[in-house]
Amino acid sequence: MRASRLLSLVLLLQTRGRMTAADLAAELEVSPRTVYRDVEALSGAGIPVYADRGTGGGYRLLEGYRTRLTGLTGAEAESLFLAGLPQAAAELGLGAEMAVAHLKLLAALPDDLRERAERVRSRFHLDAVGWWRAAEDTPHLATIAAGVWRQRTADIAYRRFDGTAVERTVDPLGLVLKGGGWYFLARVHPRPGTRTAARADVRTFRVSRLTAAALRADSFERPADFDLARRWREWSADFERSRHTLRTRVRLTERGVELVRALASPITAAGLDDRSPGADGWCEAELFVESVPVAVSQFAAYGPHIEVLEPAELRAELAAYLRAAADRYGA
């Protein structure tokens, strides 16, 4: 809070020139005594703030001194605009605030940095939604975002991947935008009649699967050791590994190897290592996939360039699938 006030004091003197302690106190909503202490702190930190005594006096900055918005370099100013997510901000209900923040930032930048920032904004655009996908419908995103910002407990209704409907009371801890989809990490309250877990149960929810969300009046304390970025990395890695539990043994042509590396998930493609076809034009590999139904649809796309050796169930299902397709077109 004080660092922000000190910066505001410097910017006020920079934009308005000489100001009295009373004027600064009114602008910053503090007492004149606080202004005196802040001026001393700025002087001690090397900011050239001077006091003019007598009638018409006040505080002013040394002639020609100008802060560069806490020392932003050209590259840093560019990165602020390159990292902007206007669509994400709009979905969070912060579109207007982001637009105003950009205007304020541009107004505070020196001319050379303002030109570079404008150039970045006009020449780079981030589209987080994947190809051939529409943006997800997330009517409850703003509610969850408010819970994250204000540390407010929420009651949610959620539709699981298998269609099961559940209701939970959660403490929203953070939001993540991944591949055009919004997720939130939340500490889940124990349901009535269950024993409280010794360790906080933090789970990940997809915002588009919420069917209802409402904030409670009560607030919560964030875990002191909760690191959103680290927790998301751990969850993502565990999630991807948990989805690839079916071990398959296959034969692939050179084209098949190319197709797996281009179309399969990194976990599946990792089974290829540095393998390449032998003298007969084929190579064997162990590939991990999600399930038999998923493998059938994936491997069918590789056509004659793959042969499943194990498991027998997958080989039979894939053969039946391809025979049905051949019969359809043969007719």
Side-chain angles (χ1 to χ4, degrees):
M1 177 65 75
R2 191 188 185 203
S4 175
R5 190 176 69 243
L6 292 174
L7 177 60
S8 296
L9 194 156
V10 173
L11 292 176
L12 281 170
L13 294 178
Q14 180 173 293
T15 56
R16 300 189 187 182
R18 184 184 291 109
M19 295 182 68
T20 66
D23 291 336
L24 287 168
E27 286 287 343
L28 300 172
E29 299 182 348
V30 295
S31 67
R33 181 169 296 182
T34 298
V35 171
Y36 302 150
R37 289 197 297 265
D38 287 348
V39 169
E40 289 180 2
L42 288 170
S43 297
I47 305 298
V49 182
Y50 291 91
D52 291 331
R53 308 293 180 182
T55 303
Y59 293 107
R60 64 179 179 87
L61 293 171
L62 180 67
E63 188 69 24
Y65 175 82
R66 184 178 180 85
T67 180
R68 292 191 306 155
L69 193 59
T70 67
L72 277 179
T73 65
E76 289 168 344
E78 290 174 353
S79 71
L80 284 176
F81 284 87
L82 188 59
L85 294 169
Q87 180 60 38
E91 292 175 358
L92 290 169
L94 298 174
E97 287 80 357
M98 173 167 277
V100 172
H102 276 196
L103 287 174
K104 289 183 177 179
L105 178 58
L106 283 174
L109 289 172
D111 292 341
D112 58 332
L113 297 190
R114 184 183 303 116
E115 180 183 351
R116 293 177 67 173
E118 287 279 26
R119 189 161 61 244
V120 168
R121 188 166 64 172
S122 66
R123 300 185 186 186
F124 293 90
H125 174 69
L126 176 60
D127 184 357
V129 180
W131 287 107
W132 302 288
R133 289 181 57 191
E136 292 186 337
D137 185 20
T138 54
H140 304 291
L141 177 60
T143 299
I144 297 300
V148 171
W149 284 117
R150 303 173 191 169
Q151 296 181 205
R152 294 269 297 278
T153 298
D155 292 316
I156 64 171
Y158 190 74
R159 187 184 68 259
R160 288 175 173 163
F161 180 76
D162 61 4
T164 305
V166 297
E167 295 183 356
R168 294 286 185 270
T169 299
V170 301
D171 297 332
L173 300 175
L175 276 162
V176 175
L177 179 61
K178 169 75 170 180
W182 284 99
Y183 299 81
F184 70 99
L185 280 67
R187 182 172 52 196
V188 180
H189 290 209
R191 283 175 287 181
T194 61
R195 187 170 56 185
T196 303
R199 182 177 180 274
D201 187 7
V202 176
R203 300 182 192 175
T204 301
F205 300 88
R206 189 161 187 150
V207 178
S208 62
R209 293 202 184 121
L210 288 173
T211 56
L215 297 183
R216 291 188 173 188
D218 47 314
S219 59
F220 64 88
E221 289 293 327
R222 288 175 61 84
D225 60 347
F226 180 77
D227 184 324
L228 177 60
R230 176 179 58 80
R231 204 63 180 268
W232 175 257
R233 286 195 302 269
E234 293 173 352
W235 181 86
S236 298
D238 290 343
F239 174 76
E240 290 180 343
R241 285 192 296 267
S242 71
R243 303 282 288 188
H244 293 72
T245 57
L246 178 65
R247 171 189 166 277
T248 70
R249 190 164 65 89
V250 303
R251 295 175 69 231
L252 295 160
T253 65
E254 182 176 0
R255 177 57 176 163
V257 170
E258 293 175 352
L259 288 170
V260 170
R261 287 178 173 156
L263 302 178
S265 72
I267 294 178
T268 299
L272 295 174
D273 296 328
D274 296 324
R275 296 179 183 273
S276 58
D280 63 350
W282 293 79
C283 70
E284 283 194 19
E286 287 188 353
L287 305 180
F288 283 86
V289 294
E290 294 186 35
S291 63
V292 168
V294 171
V296 167
S297 64
Q298 288 182 349
F299 291 176
Y302 308 150
H305 301 290
I306 188 171
E307 179 187 358
V308 174
L309 303 177
E310 294 178 350
E313 178 190 2
L314 173 58
R315 182 181 176 92
E317 290 285 342
L318 181 59
Y321 182 89
L322 294 174
R323 273 196 302 268
D327 291 344
R328 172 71 63 184
Y329 288 96

